[in-house]
Amino acid sequence: MQRLSLSVDRSVSPTSYRHDACACGECDLLIPATELAEGESLACSRCGHLQSRHLPHSRVRPLAFGLATLVMFVLCNSFTFMAFSSHGLGREMTFLQTITTLVDAGYLFLAVVLSVTLIGFPLVYIGSVMLVVWRLDKSLHPHAMRSLGRLLCRIRPWLMVDVFLIGVLISLVKLMGMADVSMGLGFWAFVGYSIMLVLTISSLDTHWLWQQLFGHVEVALPEQGAVTAREAGLVGCHICGALNQEGENRCQRCGDHLHSRKPGGLQRTLALLITSAILYIPANIYPIMDTVFLGDDSPSTILGGVVLLWALGSYPIAAVIFIASVMVPLAKLIALFWLCWQVGAGKAHSPLAKLKLYRLTEFVGRWSMIDVFVVAILAGLIRLDNLMTIYPGPAAVSFAGVVIITMVAAMTFDPRLIWDLQEGEQKLE
C-alpha cells in the first residue's frame, strides 16, 4: 500500500498559505489543495461546511488574547463577584464560591461540571494554545505537540464560560425582585474573561496550526470518478484534516485514530438519546431548586420558575429560560431521533436540509446548561442563615445529565451517513 508523503515546510508567507487537500468532515467531499490569501476562508462546495480560515496575525493574536484571558481569570477570582442583601443581612460571593457551595451541599456532580467547563477546560485550552503557538519555530517533543493539538480540538465544544455569563445575567433579573444586588469587580473581570476566551478561540484555525506544526500532507486526488474520500480509498482525519490511505490505523500527521465513519454507527447515538430521554422526565418533574424563606420550603421546577418570571413581568427572561431549558432539549432529542430514523430507514431525500438541522442541534445544545448555571449562582449567593437560603434540587443533576449526554449524542452522530444514502441512490440509477 502506497503511503502519502508528509513534507514539513514552515516557510509560509505571512499573507497566504496553501491549505492541503482534504475531505469535508460533514459530507466527505474531496476538496483540492487551495491557496488562501489573508482573510480568506475555504468552505465545502457541496454542504458549505467551513474547512479553514487564513486569519490575520495568526500567531500573534492567539498569544495576546490567551494572555489577556489568563489575566482576567486571575482578576475575577481576586475580587467580589456578586453581593446580595435583604432585611439587613448580606452576603458576598466570589466566582469560586459558586463551585465550593455545591461541594458543601453535597452536589459533587454539579460542582465537577462547573469546575471542568468554567475553569479546567478553559485554562487547559488557553495554556495549550499559548504553548503550541509559541513553540511553532522551536524544538518541542513531537508526541507532546500532537497530544496538545488533539486536546485543543476535543475540549473546545465543552468551553461554556459564555453560557455561564448569560446565566449570571438571568440570575440578576431573578434576584432584583427579592433584594438588593450589586456586581463586584470580579464580575466585570469575568465579562472580560469570557470575551477574551471567545476571541482566543476565534483567532485560532486548527487546520492551519497542524500544517504549521507538521507540514503538508501531499496527496494526488483522482481526476475523475471518485467524489468522496471513501470512493477514492482515502480517509480524512477528523482532528487535523489530513488525508490518509484507507487501512491506516493512525493519522500520519496528528497520530489520532482513523475511521472512515464514526465508530458505533447509529446504535451509539440511539443509546445516548434513550438515556437522555429517560433523564428528561425527572429533570422536569422534580424541583430544580429549593428556596427556604423563614423556615418555609418552596421547591421550584423548571416550568415553575418560568411561570414565576412571567408573573413578575420578566417576559424576555422567562422566554429565554423556557426555550433554552424546556424546548431546546426536547427539540434536540426529537431532531436527533428523527435523523437516526431517516438514516436507518434509508431516506435519501433533502440531505442538505437534514445536515442544517443537525448543525442547529449541535450548536444550541450547550446553551441548555443556562438553568444549571443559574441554580449554581443562586445557591452560592443566597445563603442568609435562617432568613433565606437556596439549595439545588434533584432535577439539577438530571438536567445537567440531559444536556451533557445529548451533546455527546450529537457528537457521535455522523452526518456523512446522510450523504452516503444519496450516493447509494445515484449509483443505483
Side-chain angles (χ1 to χ4, degrees):
M1 180 179 294
Q2 181 182 3
R3 287 185 58 86
L4 307 179
S5 62
L6 183 68
S7 67
V8 179
D9 179 15
R10 295 190 177 94
S11 59
V12 181
S13 168
T15 58
S16 66
Y17 97 100
R18 184 175 65 87
H19 184 271
D20 288 344
C22 62
C24 177
E26 294 192 349
C27 72
D28 207 34
L29 181 73
L30 284 173
I31 301 172
T34 307
E35 192 78 18
L36 295 177
E38 192 174 83
E40 289 185 339
S41 60
L42 176 65
C44 176
S45 60
R46 179 160 72 169
C47 70
H49 178 56
L50 181 65
Q51 305 298 317
S52 182
R53 297 177 299 161
H54 186 197
L55 301 169
H57 309 293
S58 302
R59 300 181 61 173
V60 177
R61 286 159 61 94
L63 289 173
F65 289 137
L67 180 60
T69 304
L70 294 178
V71 171
M72 289 298 174
F73 176 77
V74 173
L75 291 176
C76 78
N77 287 286
S78 302
F79 300 97
T80 300
F81 191 77
M82 296 175 69
F84 173 87
S85 61
S86 176
H87 299 84
L89 296 176
R91 175 179 170 81
E92 293 183 348
M93 178 185 72
T94 63
F95 170 61
L96 288 178
Q97 281 180 315
T98 60
I99 298 172
T100 57
T101 301
L102 293 175
V103 175
D104 295 338
Y107 285 85
L108 296 179
F109 175 73
L110 293 180
V112 170
V113 170
L114 266 69
S115 301
V116 169
T117 57
L118 303 180
I119 300 176
F121 281 170
L123 292 184
V124 170
Y125 183 89
I126 293 298
S128 300
V129 166
M130 295 182 67
L131 178 60
V132 170
V133 174
W134 175 58
R135 301 293 295 187
L136 276 179
D137 291 334
K138 302 173 180 65
S139 59
L140 189 66
H141 197 283
H143 291 303
M145 297 291 275
R146 286 186 170 94
S147 298
L148 289 175
R150 292 195 300 266
L151 186 64
L152 287 175
C153 298
R154 288 198 171 99
I155 68 177
R156 180 173 173 173
W158 301 100
L159 308 180
M160 297 189 182
V161 175
D162 51 342
V163 181
F164 183 79
L165 180 58
I166 301 300
V168 172
L169 299 178
I170 292 175
S171 302
L172 181 62
V173 174
K174 284 189 173 185
L175 291 171
M176 282 181 176
M178 302 168 62
D180 296 326
V181 183
S182 61
M183 316 305 291
L185 291 176
F187 167 77
W188 300 110
F190 185 84
V191 173
Y193 172 54
S194 304
I195 295 174
M196 290 299 106
L197 179 59
V198 171
L199 289 174
T200 304
I201 296 171
S202 61
S203 66
L204 181 70
D205 182 77
T206 53
H207 284 188
W208 171 87
L209 182 62
W210 281 110
Q211 287 189 203
Q212 296 298 295
L213 287 173
F214 298 106
H216 297 283
V217 175
E218 305 292 344
V219 55
L221 300 183
E223 297 182 359
Q224 57 183 1
V227 175
T228 66
R230 172 178 276 187
E231 292 174 339
L234 300 170
V235 178
C237 177
H238 67 290
I239 293 292
C240 71
L243 285 173
N244 296 263
Q245 291 285 358
E246 195 172 36
E248 296 287 343
N249 292 323
R250 289 184 176 272
C251 175
Q252 60 177 310
R253 181 156 66 187
C254 72
D256 198 59
H257 289 284
L258 289 173
H259 38 73
S260 180
R261 297 295 181 267
K262 292 180 181 179
L266 299 179
Q267 290 77 14
R268 183 177 297 181
T269 305
L270 285 171
L272 291 168
L273 289 176
I274 292 171
T275 304
S276 300
I278 294 172
L279 288 175
Y280 185 78
I281 297 173
N284 285 275
I285 292 178
Y286 290 105
I288 196 166
M289 67 179 181
D290 292 331
T291 303
V292 179
F293 182 70
L294 296 176
D296 184 23
D297 188 3
S298 301
S300 174
T301 63
I302 295 176
L303 284 175
V306 172
V307 171
L308 178 60
L309 284 170
W310 191 271
L312 293 174
S314 302
Y315 306 122
I317 302 300
V320 169
I321 291 291
F322 180 74
I323 293 172
S325 301
V326 180
M327 294 303 299
V328 167
L330 182 60
K332 187 172 182 177
L333 284 171
I334 295 173
L336 288 174
F337 269 121
W338 183 77
L339 287 173
C340 289
W341 172 72
Q342 288 282 301
V343 172
K347 308 283 186 180
H349 61 281
S350 305
L352 187 57
K354 294 173 185 174
L355 182 58
K356 289 180 178 179
L357 176 63
Y358 168 73
R359 289 173 181 167
L360 181 62
T361 59
E362 192 175 37
F363 172 76
V364 302
R366 60 198 294 270
W367 291 95
S368 298
M369 193 65 78
I370 287 178
D371 224 5
V372 176
F373 290 153
V374 169
V375 172
I377 295 165
L378 296 179
L381 184 61
I382 305 180
R383 304 182 72 83
L384 302 180
D385 299 326
N386 296 325
L387 176 64
M388 182 186 301
T389 306
I390 289 182
Y391 300 97
V397 176
S398 299
F399 189 76
V402 170
V403 177
I404 293 171
I405 294 174
T406 52
M407 287 181 64
V408 176
M411 294 175 186
T412 60
F413 180 82
D414 197 332
R416 292 171 294 188
L417 298 175
I418 298 172
W419 296 92
D420 289 345
L421 296 175
Q422 186 188 52
E423 292 161 12
E425 279 198 351
Q426 290 174 350
K427 289 180 180 179
L428 291 175
E429 294 175 357

